[in-house]
Amino acid sequence: MREAGVQGAEANRRQVLYWRLLARVFDPEEHPSLEQASVAIVDDLDLPPALLDPGVSVDNLVQRFPALATEFEALPDPGGPATGSTAEGGTTSGTADGGTADGDTADGAASEQVRRAALISKLLLNTFQTGSGGVTASRLGAWQKDAGWLKTALGEEGAGEVKGVLSELEGDLVGRMRLREVLADPKLASRLTPSMSLIEQLLRDKANLSGVALANAKSLIRRYVDEVAEVLRTQVQQTSAGAVDRSVPPKRVFRNLDLDRTIWKNLTNWSPEDERLYVDKLFYRHTAKRTTPAKLIVVVDQSGSMVDSMVNCTILASIFAGLPKVDVHLIAFDTRAIDLTPWVNDPFEVLLRTNLGGGNDGPVAMEMARPKITDPRNTVLVWISDFYEFGRSQALYDGIEAVHRSGVKFIPVGSVNSSGTQIVEPWFRQRFKNLGTPVISGKIQKLVFELKNFLG
């Protein structure tokens, strides 16, 4: 009975700490009742009041109270080192009322859970309460270290689950500070986590960077490109390709021998006396696919709203450019068009040559793309855009329709990002549907599947 009461009381104390955590994360204003109750709990656990202050980093906390470092490090393992020590390195007493050993155990276990709740609340508060307004380089550095402590506490699996959220938070902090100040500090820049929001800012500001800042910006862009390329390359390898071209005779080599079919077709030649199967005809598997070099033309809208798609498709184009018998061309456009084909094998160089922002002029890009179409039925044209043309809609659609009627495989893409959310101009969406070429708007696997089916 006493044990149940202890556990209930400790559960209430944990609840107070977590309610206080939620209140502070979603509202920077203090709630006096929750603050007072939390201070009492922390004091009763012999923990320092600074544990409740989001303005004190975890690094500063463990420097002042070294014993806490062991406790934070033991969080992934509830059965790890005992955490009954005080912040100053002493030990807490068992019970004050001379209870039984079983009572001591119950009290200790329940108190241990509250202590863990206090430490976890500190990590979560420092990581998720990012505030508002400007951010200094030192503030970003402190947040990165706090986030590191949280990832350690969550363990490898847990850290992987929150990786995306932490990247978004870091991107928000970077967006609220002077990015050039961070890039000018190699140590601070090296701790940045490459993310889409960060890459977008770097691409927009690259013309204003020089020296160490520009070198660090390029390093971050290349890190992100390499990470995305690794994922996309795996998707390209895993996605099923087009059908085998059975018009091409199978190559008569041993590795293509269809043993089962050969036996079945020659069963009439079985000799009971010799107990042998005499084979007068061998059968081989068809393995040949497209032999005519295919041409892939990728046209990418580089206006500000299409950054995610542009980065993904630029990297994807480079992957397909590395495949045999695929001739890849890359064009980026806003109010002007630029032929990026010479750099299509290096998405990093492509991104450095893009100029984010501006309006849309699809017909200009079409004028650049059409001369590249020399064999329509062996060409695929991928057009990545939100298709908001502001007065040029009919001109662009007429060009697209003419290309499609000539035999080109036309693939309109509204978005190729992780979220799959992208607004596509309704007028275009309906006409593409009527043309038999509905807009692909979703995860990049859809585009990979379409391309592999065509290229075979």
Side-chain angles (χ1 to χ4, degrees):
M1 193 71 166
R2 175 178 177 276
E3 182 178 342
V6 169
Q7 291 180 347
E10 299 304 284
N12 290 338
R13 297 212 295 174
R14 291 200 310 273
Q15 189 174 39
V16 167
L17 291 172
Y18 287 136
W19 273 113
R20 186 250 179 192
L21 166 66
L22 292 173
R24 291 298 298 269
V25 168
F26 293 104
D27 184 0
E29 296 296 326
E30 293 186 2
H31 295 260
S33 58
L34 288 175
E35 293 296 325
Q36 292 172 8
S38 298
V39 168
I41 293 171
V42 166
D43 182 64
D44 185 57
L45 294 170
D46 288 324
L47 290 169
L51 190 75
L52 297 173
D53 187 353
V56 177
S57 70
V58 178
D59 267 14
N60 286 340
L61 192 64
V62 298
Q63 285 172 6
R64 292 163 58 185
F65 308 99
L68 286 180
T70 303
E71 296 195 46
F72 279 118
E73 291 167 356
L75 285 175
D77 179 18
T83 57
S85 60
T86 66
E88 288 74 17
T91 57
T92 55
S93 59
T95 60
D97 57 1
T100 64
D102 288 341
D104 291 347
T105 302
D107 290 354
S111 179
E112 173 67 17
Q113 292 177 3
V114 180
R115 195 177 186 89
R116 284 175 54 81
L119 297 173
I120 292 172
S121 293
K122 173 63 176 177
L123 297 178
L124 292 173
L125 183 60
N126 277 33
T127 303
F128 289 97
Q129 190 200 52
T130 56
S132 60
V135 176
T136 64
S138 59
R139 169 75 179 95
L140 175 63
W143 181 89
Q144 290 172 327
K145 291 180 180 179
D146 286 341
W149 279 99
L150 176 63
K151 287 188 282 188
T152 299
L154 292 175
E156 184 176 350
E157 183 176 349
E161 292 177 354
V162 301
K163 180 179 179 181
V165 176
L166 295 181
S167 292
E168 290 183 8
L169 288 173
E170 184 179 63
D172 175 64
L173 289 169
V174 171
R176 286 155 44 196
M177 69 176 301
R178 295 179 179 177
L179 182 57
R180 297 171 205 173
E181 180 185 350
V182 179
L183 295 174
D185 183 341
K187 186 176 180 180
L188 192 57
S190 67
R191 292 204 299 264
L192 287 175
T193 303
S195 63
M196 182 56 68
S197 59
L198 176 58
I199 298 307
E200 179 176 351
Q201 291 186 66
L202 294 175
L203 292 176
R204 290 184 186 280
D205 202 38
K206 66 181 186 296
N208 301 314
L209 301 176
S210 61
V212 174
L214 180 59
N216 286 330
K218 289 183 176 181
S219 177
L220 285 165
I221 294 173
R222 185 170 290 282
R223 280 171 57 194
Y224 186 76
V225 166
D226 290 345
E227 289 176 7
V228 176
E230 184 177 352
V231 174
L232 294 184
R233 195 172 289 110
T234 300
Q235 293 177 356
V236 170
Q237 293 170 349
Q238 292 177 345
T239 305
S240 59
V244 171
D245 186 356
R246 297 191 177 277
S247 66
V248 180
K251 192 172 183 179
R252 296 176 177 273
V253 294
F254 180 74
R255 68 173 179 273
N256 289 344
L257 179 65
D258 189 339
L259 189 59
D260 290 342
R261 190 176 179 216
T262 296
I263 294 174
W264 177 257
K265 290 292 186 180
N266 288 279
L267 280 178
T268 56
N269 298 329
W270 170 256
S271 172
E273 294 82 7
D274 300 337
E275 294 187 349
R276 291 187 178 183
L277 178 67
Y278 293 93
V279 177
D280 56 19
K281 187 175 182 180
L282 298 175
F283 293 85
Y284 296 87
R285 299 185 185 90
H286 284 76
T287 58
K289 298 186 179 179
R290 181 187 297 274
T291 57
T292 305
K295 181 172 287 186
L296 168 61
I297 303 172
V298 180
V299 180
V300 184
D301 178 350
Q302 65 174 351
S303 63
S305 61
M306 296 296 297
V307 178
D308 198 339
S309 294
M310 186 194 71
V311 172
N312 279 291
C313 286
T314 295
I315 297 171
L316 187 62
S318 73
I319 293 173
F320 278 99
L323 299 178
K325 297 186 179 299
V326 181
D327 182 17
V328 180
H329 296 255
L330 180 62
I331 296 170
F333 77 97
D334 44 32
T335 55
R336 298 175 300 171
I338 178 173
D339 190 348
L340 296 169
T341 303
W343 304 279
V344 71
N345 288 288
D346 190 344
F348 170 72
E349 290 295 333
V350 168
L351 292 176
L352 291 184
R353 285 170 169 77
T354 57
N355 183 28
L356 301 183
N360 285 30
D361 195 337
V364 171
M366 180 59 76
E367 289 177 10
M368 184 174 286
R370 292 190 73 164
K372 295 178 178 291
I373 302 173
T374 54
D375 181 4
R377 296 196 177 280
N378 202 41
T379 301
V380 58
L381 175 61
V382 179
W383 198 287
I384 301 104
S385 175
D386 55 13
F387 295 98
Y388 279 87
E389 287 294 322
F390 306 104
R392 307 298 305 277
S393 297
Q394 190 63 54
L396 175 58
Y397 180 75
D398 289 344
I400 289 173
E401 184 178 31
V403 166
H404 175 66
R405 299 295 184 197
S406 73
V408 170
K409 170 70 172 178
F410 176 68
I411 304 178
V413 180
S415 75
V416 280
N417 51 38
S418 56
S419 66
T421 57
Q422 180 68 49
I423 297 175
V424 176
E425 209 283 325
W427 188 87
F428 270 100
R429 185 186 290 277
Q430 185 58 49
R431 276 156 182 74
F432 287 147
K433 185 177 180 181
N434 296 340
L435 195 63
T437 59
V439 176
I440 292 178
S441 187
K443 294 186 177 181
I444 199 167
Q445 289 93 328
K446 294 182 181 180
L447 178 58
V448 171
F449 180 80
E450 289 288 335
L451 290 177
K452 290 199 70 175
N453 272 338
F454 180 81
L455 298 173

